[in-house]
Amino acid sequence: MHLSRRLLMAGLAGGVLAAPAAAQTNVTLTHALAANSHYGVAAIAFKETVERLTNGRYRVTIQRNDNEREAIEATQIGTQEFTITSTGPVGNFVPDTLVLDIPFLFRDYDHARGVLDSAIGQELLAKFTPRGLIGVAWMENGFRNVTNSRREVNSPADVQGLKIRTMENPVHMRAFQTLGALPTPMAFSELVPALQQGTVDGQENPIPVIVANNLNQVQRYLSLTRHVYSPAVLIGNPGFWNRLNAADKAAFQEAAKAAVQANRDKVSADERDGVALLRSRGMTVRETVDTAAFQSALAPAFEQYRRQFDAALIQRITDWKPGS
Ligand code: PAF
């Protein structure tokens, strides 16, 4: 007798045949970084919460893809259900989000997190829907800092002529052009070889990314320019999201909240410990830079952003205060 038939007969005879297992749906979530990074811990919190709240009816597989544009495309067409991505390439899909990429828009983490948690954040998440994506929750990447292999950066004069890899983001590229650098947009997946081969002199990323990716191995100088806050966002596929029943959607929303908390906690911890760690790995770190000089040098870019974006929205973001 065929093995499965023998097992079936044995189960029937013993009266112990289990109820058919509930159908399981597999869900894929991608992000660009290592499991112990600020995206990695968020992805794990998401997975664990979804699986617990749905009693395992949904299984989340976490995969790494350090080409964020590709990951957004895959989420849009539905070959994967979710991605966590910086807003770097998001503006090419949802142009309204580009306003968040303006340099020196956010004063500090409280300001950025407060705005993203406010009605402004919700309004911007709603802009994903007409673009064939679901903006599930704002997460974060952190304040970006310049690293390079040539010299300490303290003032705008120091970045002049440097070839700096930027994300594929027109707002960032304009800023570096205005500062006299040579912005070279590329996916993160291409960054380390480009630094090793000298195709670019430097790059800019938040402390959690520099730490998680050991960029100290390919870059000598780090300057805490904090020139732009880099939001991240959990994006979902509309076909998948819209088929969820109310209870399952609530479980995924709860999981997104757990992911945001894990993400922010890790960013805060990396901001606290990361600079000392990078120094201990041999980086030369300049902690105070001439921020006012960077802001004045960017005046022509700010003028252009004011023309390009909704000035009232920029004002609401700038004016945000706790409790507002
Ligand atoms: O520099 C980037 O492309 C992004 O900051 C990164 C590292 C992929 C994280 O979102």
Side-chain angles (χ1 to χ4, degrees):
M1 194 189 307
H2 193 271
L3 178 64
S4 55
R5 189 162 159 73
R6 274 210 311 267
L7 288 173
L8 178 70
M9 297 304 286
L12 282 173
V16 293
L17 193 63
Q24 195 176 70
T25 306
N26 292 314
V27 168
T28 300
L29 163 68
T30 67
H31 66 84
L33 301 171
N36 63 354
S37 68
H38 54 308
Y39 290 175
V41 295
I44 292 166
F46 184 78
K47 169 185 169 65
E48 288 177 352
T49 310
V50 165
E51 293 179 359
R52 178 169 51 78
L53 293 181
T54 65
N55 294 319
R57 281 183 297 105
Y58 288 89
R59 282 263 166 246
V60 180
T61 303
I62 302 170
Q63 282 172 7
R64 191 167 171 180
N65 179 355
D66 50 6
N67 185 324
E68 293 188 320
R69 185 175 39 76
E70 264 180 27
I72 300 169
E73 278 163 6
T75 309
Q76 196 170 44
I77 61 177
T79 48
Q80 63 182 58
E81 286 73 22
F82 294 99
T83 191
I84 297 172
T85 173
S86 74
T87 51
V90 172
N92 301 317
F93 298 81
V94 188
D96 286 291
T97 63
L98 282 169
V99 69
L100 298 173
D101 299 315
I102 296 178
F104 298 108
L105 179 66
F106 294 104
R107 296 180 288 277
D108 52 28
Y109 279 103
D110 285 346
H111 182 204
R113 292 172 183 179
V115 168
L116 295 176
D117 289 346
S118 74
I120 301 171
Q122 289 306 313
E123 288 160 23
L124 288 172
L125 285 178
K127 307 278 187 194
F128 284 69
T129 312
R131 300 283 169 169
L133 292 163
I134 301 290
V136 181
W138 287 112
M139 303 184 64
E140 84 185 357
N141 193 16
F143 280 90
R144 301 179 81 86
N145 301 294
V146 171
T147 70
N148 80 98
S149 55
R150 298 210 173 257
R151 50 185 176 255
E152 276 199 21
V153 167
N154 172 42
S155 70
D158 301 321
V159 296
Q160 267 173 28
L162 284 183
K163 274 195 187 165
I164 304 222
R165 175 269 175 176
T166 66
M167 298 194 289
E168 295 166 289
N169 181 295
V171 175
H172 290 189
M173 286 168 64
R174 173 167 297 274
F176 279 96
Q177 238 155 23
T178 307
L179 292 173
L182 304 166
T184 311
M186 65 180 78
F188 190 63
S189 48
E190 296 165 33
L191 173 63
V192 169
L195 288 170
Q196 277 165 337
Q197 288 156 19
T199 318
V200 291
D201 304 307
Q203 63 90 46
E204 41 90 57
N205 249 305
I207 296 292
V209 173
I210 301 169
V211 167
N213 286 275
N214 282 309
L215 292 182
N216 47 284
Q217 290 174 352
V218 279
Q219 294 279 266
R220 167 137 184 227
Y221 300 104
L222 161 64
S223 294
L224 302 189
T225 47
R226 299 168 66 85
H227 52 276
V228 67
Y229 176 76
S230 177
V233 60
L234 172 65
I235 299 177
N237 168 261
F240 173 80
W241 189 258
N242 294 331
R243 273 194 307 274
L244 290 172
N245 66 32
D248 287 348
K249 196 173 280 179
F252 276 86
Q253 273 159 340
E254 203 52 39
K257 274 193 207 153
V260 171
Q261 194 57 52
N263 164 249
R264 288 181 177 176
D265 289 349
K266 180 70 172 131
V267 170
S268 299
D270 284 352
E271 285 284 359
R272 194 187 55 230
D273 307 331
V275 168
L277 186 61
L278 291 168
R279 271 209 176 95
S280 76
R281 292 182 189 167
M283 276 193 121
T284 302
V285 184
R286 176 145 205 146
E287 293 205 35
T288 49
V289 301
D290 192 348
T291 305
F294 276 99
Q295 289 181 340
S296 328
L298 283 170
F302 290 136
E303 195 39 54
Q304 210 274 336
Y305 301 142
R306 267 192 292 276
R307 282 200 302 274
Q308 182 181 354
F309 300 114
D310 176 357
L313 176 58
I314 297 180
Q315 200 58 49
R316 273 173 79 203
I317 294 174
T318 311
D319 291 348
W320 179 90
K321 300 257 165 359
S324 67

